[in-house]
Amino acid sequence: AQSVTQPDIHITVSEGASLELRCNYSYGATPYLFWYVQSPGQGLQLLLKYFSGDTLVQGIKGFEAEFKRSQSSFNLRKPSVHWSDAAEYFCAVGPQNSGGSNYKLTFGKGTLLTVNP
Amino acid sequence: DTGVSQDPRHKITKRGQNVTFRCDPISEHNRLYWYRQTLGQGPEFLTYFQNEAQLEKSRLLSDRFSAERPKGSFSTLEIQRTEQGDSAMYLCASSRTAAGELFFGEGSRLTVL
């Protein structure tokens, strides 16, 4: 069964500092990979996704993530964090079914990001 | 594009009562999904619809849970004889296609006393 591990439950960074959120997955093949962000009282918003091709993917809000097959990792990065980035971040994997259906996502437990001024 | 809308946003009920949540997806999105999120956990897949057809149900969805999407537009998720373990955030999402981005609603939080 597929699974996602986000080792860090809570991370605190200073505004302007760089950020890396870790994500490791377990899956029999190459899955579809996603990062979502959830702000208090808000729904999940897709930051970026990896289906195939270039292993470094760019997303919204200045985020990027790198797929490393050898490490089964898909870490999220941002060079300079803004106070508005404070939120909970979820990594997710989806099966590469025929037709590219990504409906049955398996999420990690999330990493809560706090940004200090 | 008004986004995915869920109602009610918060429901408090007593154990044993029935509750129903409604989800209005983004118009023209033919796929609709329900997920459940408990405290400290990521969302877990419950079920999904393509138009009015319910194509898959997770084993998390016990017999007390039923979901419908009668006309391929809005969907309802009913929980009968609620238990305290049902307390969670119920998230709805929709997508235009099978490989399309999932757009999530803000969720319906259920508290069972």
Side-chain angles (χ1 to χ4, degrees):
Chain A
Q2 57 200 46
S3 66
V4 176
T5 300
Q6 293 181 246
D8 304 304
I9 296 173
H10 188 190
I11 284 183
T12 300
V13 299
S14 298
E15 190 169 17
S18 64
L19 172 69
E20 182 170 30
L21 301 182
R22 296 183 290 163
C23 173
N24 293 96
Y25 68 89
S26 173
Y27 191 70
T30 300
Y32 291 149
L33 295 160
F34 307 83
W35 274 99
Y36 284 85
V37 61
Q38 186 176 37
S39 298
Q42 303 293 316
L44 290 156
Q45 182 182 22
L46 180 66
L47 286 175
L48 47 77
K49 61 188 178 187
Y50 171 77
F51 282 5
S52 65
D54 192 346
T55 56
L56 184 63
V57 293
Q58 302 297 320
I60 61 171
K61 304 184 179 185
F63 285 93
E64 67 177 26
E66 185 172 12
F67 169 58
K68 292 186 177 180
R69 184 191 307 272
S70 61
Q71 299 177 18
S72 297
S73 69
F74 188 57
N75 294 347
L76 181 72
R77 300 194 294 251
K78 187 169 184 178
S80 178
V81 170
H82 188 262
W83 64 267
S84 61
D85 293 324
E88 191 154 23
Y89 291 80
F90 292 93
C91 180
V93 301
Q96 285 203 21
N97 292 328
S98 60
S101 175
N102 63 12
Y103 62 86
K104 196 172 178 180
L105 300 183
T106 297
F107 285 82
K109 293 185 177 182
T111 297
L112 180 64
L113 174 66
T114 298
V115 181
N116 287 335
Chain B
D1 182 351
T2 58
V4 177
S5 177
Q6 293 190 245
D7 183 70
R9 294 289 310 277
H10 195 179
K11 177 73 175 180
I12 301 173
T13 190
K14 293 182 179 179
R15 187 176 53 186
Q17 297 296 303
N18 299 344
V19 297
T20 299
F21 300 112
R22 176 180 170 125
C23 172
D24 287 273
I26 295 172
S27 60
E28 299 180 356
H29 279 196
N30 61 18
R31 292 203 166 209
L32 185 147
Y33 315 79
W34 285 99
Y35 282 78
R36 181 174 69 185
Q37 185 177 17
T38 53
L39 200 61
Q41 302 293 320
E44 298 171 293
F45 171 80
L46 292 179
T47 187
Y48 93 103
F49 293 83
Q50 179 168 306
N51 298 315
E52 65 275 10
Q54 187 174 18
L55 296 187
E56 185 169 344
K57 294 169 58 174
S58 162
R59 279 173 282 184
L60 293 175
L61 222 59
S62 76
D63 291 344
R64 296 184 297 105
F65 289 71
S66 63
E68 295 182 342
R69 194 183 183 197
K71 297 183 179 179
S73 57
F74 73 92
S75 175
T76 58
L77 176 68
E78 180 183 15
I79 309 174
Q80 296 182 325
R81 304 180 304 280
T82 52
E83 303 173 354
Q84 287 184 326
D86 297 332
S87 294
M89 177 77 83
Y90 291 86
L91 298 168
C92 178
S94 68
S95 68
R96 186 184 300 274
T97 64
E101 175 183 343
L102 294 188
F103 290 86
F104 282 85
E106 295 177 347
S108 292
R109 181 172 296 283
L110 173 64
T111 302
V112 181
L113 302 177

